[in-house]
Amino acid sequence: MTTARAPKKPARRAMTLAEVRAFITRLASANPNAESELDFVDDYTLLVAVVLSAQATDASVNRATKALFRDAPTPRAMVELGEEKVGAHIRTIGLWRTKARNVVALSQQLLERFDGRVPYDRAALESLPGVGRKTANVVMNVAFGDSTMAVDTHIFRIGNRTGLAPGTTPRAVEDQLVRRIPSDMLRPAHHWLILHGRYVCKARKPECWRCPAFDPCQYRMKNDLRATGPDRIPPPSPE
């Protein structure tokens, strides 16, 4: 009887703080104007869009909210629209029934508790229906300019795969990122990391051959992937 070996960790080791700065700097240079890909016009529509984006793509949310925000651009209008009509607008995205209920309920609570405004307070945000820590972090980052880090599946994967911020839970990765990323880079790093995970450091096959932060990355398979990618580096010519 053989003993099964534990799978290797995706990263060779955790990055040093100097490597963390280099990694984030290179992402910033490659995409200096990174921002949320959700469509919104104010704090309220941002909050609703982020709630709707759970387990859905930003593109699918944007298609659904185009008409929704036309018909209900404010908390009062959303409550008046009602759960059934909100659901009809967002039927194409995942978990739409629950999300429709939450969007109407959080809009009602904004009217009753916060004078129709999105509160600038983590505890208050997380008390709203459908709003967890990740959603609150996005709103605080994008709407209020706080240096928060919302850890979605992309950032969780990057944190562990690259050695940027290893952790077994999203909160552990979040805490590591907040501690390890230089404070002057933390707020925009949220967007750099999400977009890097969405378009380059993908779940099934990271495109290491075109990664701007290849050198400081500690992913074990990066050299193999770079060697087999479309932009692979050819072997040296024999002398």
Side-chain angles (χ1 to χ4, degrees), residues 99-120:
K99 291 176 180 178
R101 182 167 60 252
N102 285 338
V103 164
V104 173
L106 74 82
S107 300
Q108 183 68 50
Q109 290 196 21
L110 289 177
L111 293 170
E112 294 174 352
R113 299 168 53 200
F114 304 107
D115 197 29
R117 299 183 179 183
V118 176
Y120 178 20

Side-chain angles (χ1 to χ4, degrees), residues 172-210:
V173 170
E174 177 188 335
D175 290 344
Q176 284 271 63
L177 290 169
V178 170
R179 183 176 66 83
R180 291 165 62 79
I181 294 176
S183 58
D184 60 311
M185 309 173 81
L186 184 56
R187 182 185 178 232
H190 166 247
H191 299 299
W192 293 324
L193 290 171
I194 286 178
L195 297 179
H196 185 61
R198 187 173 291 168
Y199 298 114
V200 180
C201 198
K202 300 176 182 179
R204 293 194 176 184
K205 186 177 182 180
E207 298 181 1
C208 299
W209 56 87
R210 66 184 189 92

